[in-house]
Amino acid sequence: MRTLLSILLILGFTISYAQETFTVNGVIKDASNNETLYGVNVLVANSNSGVVTNEYGFYSIKLPKGEHTLIISYLGFQEQTTTIELSKNTSLNFSLNETSEYLEEVVITEDIEKLNIRKPEMSVNKLDISTIQKLPVVFGEVDVIKSLLLLPGVSNTGEGSSGFNVRGGAVDQNLILLDEATIYNSSHLFGLFSVFNPDAIKNLKLYKGGIPAKYGGRVSSVLEIFQKDGNSKEFKANGGIGLISSRLLAEGPIVKDKSSFLIAGRGSYAHLFLKFTDNDNAAYFYDLNTKLSFRLDNDNSILFSGYFGRDVFNISESFKNTYGNAVFNLRWNHVLTDNIFTNLSVIYSDYYYGLTLDFVGFNWNSGIKNLNLKYDFNHNISDNLNLDYGIQNTYYEFNPGEIEPSGTTSGIIDFDLTKKYAFESAIYLSAEQKLTENVSAEYGFRFSNFFRLGQSELNRYQNDQAVNFNENFSIYEKADPIGSTTLSKNKVQEYFWALEPRAAIAYSLNDNESVKLSYNRMYQYLHLITNTSSPTPLDIWTPSGKYIEPQILDQVAAGYFRNISNNKYSIEVEGFYKLIQNRIDYIDGADLIANNAIEQVILPGTARAYGLELLVKKNLGRFTGWLAYTISRSEQKTPGRNSLETGINNGKWYKTAYDKTHDVSIIGSYDLNSKWQLNTNFVYQTGLPTTYPSAQYKFENLTIPVYADRNSARLPSLHRLDISATYTPIKNKGRNYKSSWNFGIYNVYGRKNAVSLNFRNNEDSGNNEAVRLSLFGIVPSVTYNFKF
């Protein structure tokens, strides 16, 4: 790392301006609570120069000697302008004040949005937490993941499903980071809610393409979420009471203006009402967010953050299911020089799944853990060149499942599926450079390594093929092992390496229009073993190894971006094409639960997705909102391994379980007056692919269905209208307590959107019939929110 740093420093000196330049750097915070602000525009007036603050609120910009006017701009905060006479390196911090709660009109200068138009960043969506809190959602519970589904290129597999799909990708292809820690399951109550408490979230950013080199390990998207640091000025608390869940957050200074704490809790309690009906079943969740922040001096900060969440599902005390995430992160932010910002992190992630079956007499435990050490550098070489580089190392432990008897009378014996271990490391270098007045680029590479470590038992197969093809019946079958090998987990069983180039370029047609192009190659070494359209907590993660190759993505995207009327309106149009090699496919009849030899039921295939996305936004005024439309296709193909094999679905392309031809979202928010705000959203989506029987035949008084090609049919289209209204009483002067009421109706016209269609024989008529399963009708909600 020292060698790399020395080279970059030399590079900085060799390409610096001929004229004398100096560095201006600092941290930008919210004046009300000292919370650092991510993505603040720092612009130089009457020029195209500017930077944005990083995720820790730090900025650094090099400027020639002389007088400069800086414009500090951030949505929702009052703009600041300051003029400086630059004759030496200068540290300049800013504290921004929030804009008034209710404004008839907002006027901004022409310079503010120039930077976003000219930046090579594309295929990125940012949602302000205040925007998320306005959106109508089921049961009135503000939901980060459900908000993402209203963006172009983002969907899921239906109401009540877990996770999200980006540009035709699977749920496991999304890297979800909470304060840099990996979240392996983003859902509570099997998909009804997300694990992210909106009160504790500072900002979020979703990369669908053009993914910077600092991120790796997934081939579809990166969702980056940062928790608030905590108020270091004064004690504050806020929360909300809803029909089925409530939440509370407290934050305040440990030492005023130097350190702070934050703790937030949330839980559901709808199951308590079942007690009044003598119903012993229960389904509930709870989670806890915490953060400690210490500013040692102007150049050093220490931050500790954590999250713990659990879901519990009981059926008459004889069946108990418990699962959830636990993550911790210890970070050191350090300003190494005037133009180098560093972040050193030690991160622990743990996803646990537990099952107790008292009527059988055993407990089941599984999960995945990882320990991550990373060191990142942000280096401002000059006004025209900025570098990001660093190293990342992650150790994994996979527990696919272990069974232990429960109670003294259980006849179950201990049984453990083979644990797996792996180590992943990477170095990366990325440059953002202004090439000409109208052309800027971001380019770099990521060099990744994956070491599949030894395990207690690894099957060996004839010709290294764990799946056989039965030519007589044209079906795939499990191969019988011919033996096994054992290797210490300190030894390397299999090794993979990859060079992952990244590039994006932006050409500015003028200050308000640009076209952009990006390319990504990414590798994914972990796989989620599931053959359902919506993954369940029981699904397990497994590493690449002898019989499972890493997934490889190549994605290109091109887009047109325009700001209209000083950013009152904006338009984004993007087209994309992505190809993924080594995507796992499952043979017919694959048994995935408690399978100690997963390699016997999977085959490598190829996936592709392509489409067009449109996002039209109204950003300013009493009425704001957006229209998002995506037309796309997501397909998979698994041909035979030789001329005798048929492959999956006869080797033909078939639609993936998350393919949606059309996806439309319309979102609107209207400030009626200083007390009332009205919000609505409408969604329409093409029905999900599914497989229906196309014929049947009789055999010994049994009716045998004959199924059509895989995913050749579709469920009915999904559409829904949601509305909500927020009432905020005018606060009395001198009173710190502030409250609001949120009233909502989910699915206003009671659409019975199909989660699935099942076929059965009608007992009365004897005819076959299709039965639609739907989760929600009309769902009213009311939530009381408070802050003091």
Side-chain angles (χ1 to χ4, degrees):
M1 178 52 64
R2 288 184 177 178
T3 303
L4 176 61
L5 182 59
S6 300
I7 294 172
L8 294 170
L9 288 170
I10 295 172
L11 175 64
F13 287 122
T14 57
I15 65 175
S16 61
Y17 289 130
Q19 66 186 111
E20 192 174 13
T21 62
F22 299 100
T23 298
V24 181
N25 68 12
V27 175
I28 301 180
K29 299 182 177 181
D30 183 336
S32 66
N33 53 23
N34 277 342
E35 192 80 42
T36 58
L37 298 175
Y38 177 25
V40 179
N41 291 322
V42 181
L43 304 169
V44 182
N46 301 317
S47 78
N48 291 323
S49 298
V51 295
V52 296
T53 56
N54 66 11
E55 52 265 44
Y56 307 104
F58 179 80
Y59 77 94
S60 176
I61 186 170
K62 276 187 176 292
L63 296 171
K65 182 179 180 180
E67 184 178 279
H68 300 279
T69 298
L70 300 182
I71 303 172
I72 314 302
S73 166
Y74 191 57
L75 185 64
F77 288 79
Q78 295 177 12
E79 179 185 311
Q80 283 193 23
T81 301
T82 185
T83 300
I84 57 174
E85 183 66 36
L86 198 60
S87 59
K88 62 179 181 178
N89 292 336
T90 302
S91 180
L92 195 58
N93 299 325
F94 293 92
S95 294
L96 302 185
N97 294 303
E98 291 188 45
T99 54
S100 301
E101 295 180 11
Y102 180 73
L103 297 175
E104 287 290 340
E105 187 64 40
V106 180
V107 179
I108 61 175
T109 64
E110 294 183 359
D111 288 329
I112 288 178
E113 290 300 324
K114 284 183 182 181
L115 192 59
N116 291 332
I117 283 291
R118 295 180 180 274
K119 281 176 65 68
E121 181 180 79
M122 66 178 299
S123 304
V124 175
N125 291 117
K126 307 169 189 175
L127 277 182
D128 184 80
I129 199 66
S130 62
T131 301
I132 293 174
Q133 291 171 337
K134 297 176 185 177
L135 300 174
V137 288
V138 66
F139 301 126
E141 179 72 22
V142 175
D143 195 298
V144 170
I145 299 298
K146 296 295 189 293
S147 303
L148 295 176
L149 301 179
L150 300 174
L151 297 171
V154 187
S155 64
N156 67 0
T157 56
E159 294 179 322
S161 61
S162 60
F164 59 98
N165 307 99
V166 176
R167 289 184 170 176
V171 168
D172 70 303
Q173 295 172 337
N174 303 313
L175 177 62
I176 304 175
L177 301 173
L178 178 63
D179 275 354
E180 302 180 320
T182 302
I183 298 293
Y184 288 100
N185 186 337
S186 62
S187 299
H188 279 312
L189 295 183
F190 306 100
L192 290 182
F193 307 104
S194 78
V195 300
F196 305 108
N197 184 340
D199 290 341
I201 301 303
K202 177 163 59 174
N203 50 59
L204 62 90
K205 198 172 188 179
L206 176 67
Y207 295 89
K208 301 177 295 186
I211 299 173
K214 69 185 294 184
Y215 302 109
R218 300 293 188 275
V219 294
S220 194
S221 75
V222 176
L223 175 59
E224 183 184 46
I225 300 177
F226 283 93
Q227 297 185 118
K228 295 177 181 177
D229 294 333
N231 193 323
S232 64
K233 283 186 171 292
E234 57 182 338
F235 177 83
K236 293 284 186 179
N238 63 274
I241 302 172
L243 293 178
I244 67 170
S245 66
S246 292
R247 63 192 193 279
L248 178 66
L249 178 145
E251 57 181 331
I254 300 174
V255 176
K256 190 173 182 180
D257 292 327
K258 290 187 177 182
S259 57
S260 64
F261 75 91
L262 178 146
I263 184 168
R266 187 174 58 146
S268 66
Y269 40 73
H271 67 287
L272 298 178
F273 298 107
L274 297 177
K275 304 298 182 182
F276 296 108
T277 64
D278 294 326
N279 190 323
D280 294 332
N281 299 338
Y284 60 93
F285 74 86
Y286 57 91
D287 52 35
L288 178 71
N289 298 73
T290 185
K291 188 97 169 258
L292 299 174
S293 304
F294 303 90
R295 185 172 66 86
L296 306 181
D297 53 42
N298 286 335
D299 294 335
N300 295 277
S301 296
I302 300 293
L303 303 98
F304 172 82
S305 59
Y307 167 84
F308 179 84
R310 282 294 182 265
D311 281 72
V312 180
F313 179 53
N314 286 338
I315 298 180
S316 301
E317 297 300 329
S318 61
F319 172 96
K320 185 175 182 180
N321 182 200
T322 305
Y323 64 93
N325 302 276
V327 300
F328 304 96
N329 183 5
L330 179 63
R331 283 177 285 167
W332 173 39
N333 293 165
H334 175 55
V335 181
L336 187 63
T337 68
D338 289 327
N339 55 352
I340 299 179
F341 179 90
T342 70
N343 175 62
L344 176 64
S345 297
V346 180
I347 308 161
Y348 174 78
S349 295
D350 181 0
Y351 174 69
Y352 166 80
Y353 180 86
L355 190 64
T356 297
L357 298 175
D358 283 343
F359 63 92
V360 179
F362 74 85
N363 297 323
W364 169 275
N365 299 294
S366 64
I368 177 175
K369 301 176 184 178
N370 73 261
L371 181 63
N372 183 10
L373 175 66
K374 59 192 293 284
Y375 201 13
D376 302 308
F377 294 76
N378 179 247
H379 189 170
N380 178 243
I381 298 288
S382 71
D383 184 31
N384 290 333
L385 179 62
N386 190 75
L387 298 180
D388 284 312
Y389 49 91
I391 57 174
Q392 300 169 0
N393 299 279
T394 306
Y395 175 78
Y396 297 97
E397 178 183 309
F398 304 83
N399 178 12
E402 54 190 23
I403 295 175
E404 59 183 17
S406 61
T408 57
T409 60
S410 174
I412 302 296
I413 61 174
D414 288 335
F415 174 72
D416 294 348
L417 299 180
T418 303
K419 290 186 177 180
K420 303 176 178 66
Y421 308 90
F423 181 78
E424 183 176 357
S425 66
I427 60 172
Y428 70 90
L429 171 64
S430 181
E432 184 176 339
Q433 185 173 12
K434 181 180 177 183
L435 301 175
T436 69
E437 187 67 20
N438 295 320
V439 180
S440 59
E442 183 174 353
Y443 53 91
F445 69 89
R446 179 183 182 87
F447 180 74
S448 61
N449 300 267
F450 190 81
F451 303 85
R452 173 67 181 272
L453 304 178
Q455 62 190 59
S456 61
E457 186 177 356
L458 177 68
N459 289 335
R460 292 185 290 111
Y461 301 93
Q462 189 73 35
N463 300 322
D464 281 342
Q465 289 194 351
V467 179
N468 288 334
F469 182 72
N470 187 320
E471 296 180 25
N472 295 325
F473 296 98
S474 294
I475 60 173
Y476 287 95
E477 300 173 331
K478 297 179 181 179
D480 293 325
I482 59 174
S484 65
T485 57
T486 297
L487 192 66
S488 166
K489 66 179 182 180
N490 298 321
K491 304 292 184 180
V492 176
Q493 176 192 124
E494 203 77 18
Y495 170 67
F496 304 94
W497 65 271
L499 185 64
E500 307 174 38
R502 318 282 173 88
I505 190 167
Y507 176 73
S508 303
L509 304 174
N510 51 54
D511 287 341
N512 294 308
E513 290 181 278
S514 66
V515 291
K516 301 181 183 182
L517 179 68
S518 69
Y519 166 76
N520 276 146
R521 166 161 277 217
M522 302 182 73
Y523 276 63
Q524 178 170 332
Y525 299 103
L526 306 187
H527 311 262
L528 185 64
I529 303 301
T530 177
N531 58 359
T532 59
S533 59
S534 177
T536 69
L538 185 57
D539 300 325
I540 62 170
W541 291 86
T542 193
S544 297
K546 183 174 181 61
Y547 303 110
I548 305 178
E549 295 287 325
Q551 299 178 67
I552 307 171
L553 164 79
D554 289 288
Q555 178 176 212
V556 293
Y560 170 76
F561 304 82
R562 182 176 182 181
N563 292 326
I564 303 170
S565 300
N566 290 336
N567 198 41
K568 187 174 184 180
Y569 303 92
S570 60
I571 298 175
E572 300 177 13
V573 182
E574 287 194 41
F576 67 90
Y577 179 87
K578 55 197 290 189
L579 182 69
I580 300 174
Q581 304 174 50
N582 301 325
R583 178 61 184 164
I584 283 180
D585 208 344
Y586 303 92
I587 66 174
D588 293 333
D591 180 16
L592 304 183
I593 297 177
N595 189 338
N596 208 23
I598 286 295
E599 67 274 5
Q600 295 177 338
V601 295
I602 61 175
L603 290 171
T606 301
R608 68 182 180 187
Y610 49 92
L612 186 69
E613 300 169 355
L614 170 67
L615 180 62
V616 181
K617 299 174 67 178
K618 186 177 186 297
N619 302 304
L620 304 172
R622 295 174 66 176
F623 176 79
T624 58
W626 69 82
L627 163 68
Y629 171 64
T630 306
I631 180 171
S632 62
R633 174 64 59 85
S634 175
E635 300 173 312
Q636 187 160 334
K637 180 175 70 171
T638 306
R641 294 168 295 186
N642 54 55
S643 59
L644 299 176
E645 295 186 6
T646 59
I648 303 297
N649 198 52
N650 292 317
K652 297 182 295 184
W653 286 104
Y654 66 90
K655 303 179 189 70
T656 65
Y658 21 86
D659 172 79
K660 293 186 178 180
T661 307
H662 302 285
D663 190 345
V664 181
S665 299
I666 302 173
I667 290 83
S669 178
Y670 181 68
D671 292 326
L672 185 64
N673 52 44
S674 59
K675 294 183 180 180
W676 284 97
Q677 183 181 75
L678 309 178
N679 304 285
T680 185
N681 56 256
F682 172 78
V683 297
Y684 171 87
Q685 298 171 354
T686 301
L688 287 170
T690 189
T691 306
Y692 292 155
S694 58
Q696 63 182 30
Y697 63 90
K698 295 282 187 177
F699 178 76
E700 295 184 354
N701 295 323
L702 294 176
T703 301
I704 309 299
V706 178
Y707 284 88
D709 288 346
R710 187 176 290 194
N711 287 351
S712 58
R714 285 189 182 274
L715 295 175
S717 297
L718 178 150
H719 52 87
R720 190 189 71 245
L721 174 68
D722 312 320
I723 60 173
S724 72
T726 301
Y727 173 70
T728 305
I730 296 177
K731 186 180 73 171
N732 295 331
K733 291 184 178 179
R735 186 183 179 191
N736 291 327
Y737 189 84
K738 180 180 177 181
S739 64
S740 66
W741 288 90
N742 181 272
F743 309 93
I745 301 177
Y746 178 89
N747 196 8
V748 172
Y749 52 83
R751 166 72 175 179
K752 299 293 186 181
N753 289 304
V755 175
S756 64
L757 277 180
N758 297 312
F759 294 86
R760 69 184 184 189
N761 186 263
N762 188 292
E763 294 181 357
D764 297 326
S765 66
N767 297 325
N768 291 333
E769 61 182 5
V771 181
R772 175 188 299 198
L773 173 63
S774 301
L775 287 182
F776 302 117
I778 300 173
V779 183
S781 65
V782 58
T783 304
Y784 177 71
N785 298 300
F786 57 88
K787 182 184 296 186
F788 59 86

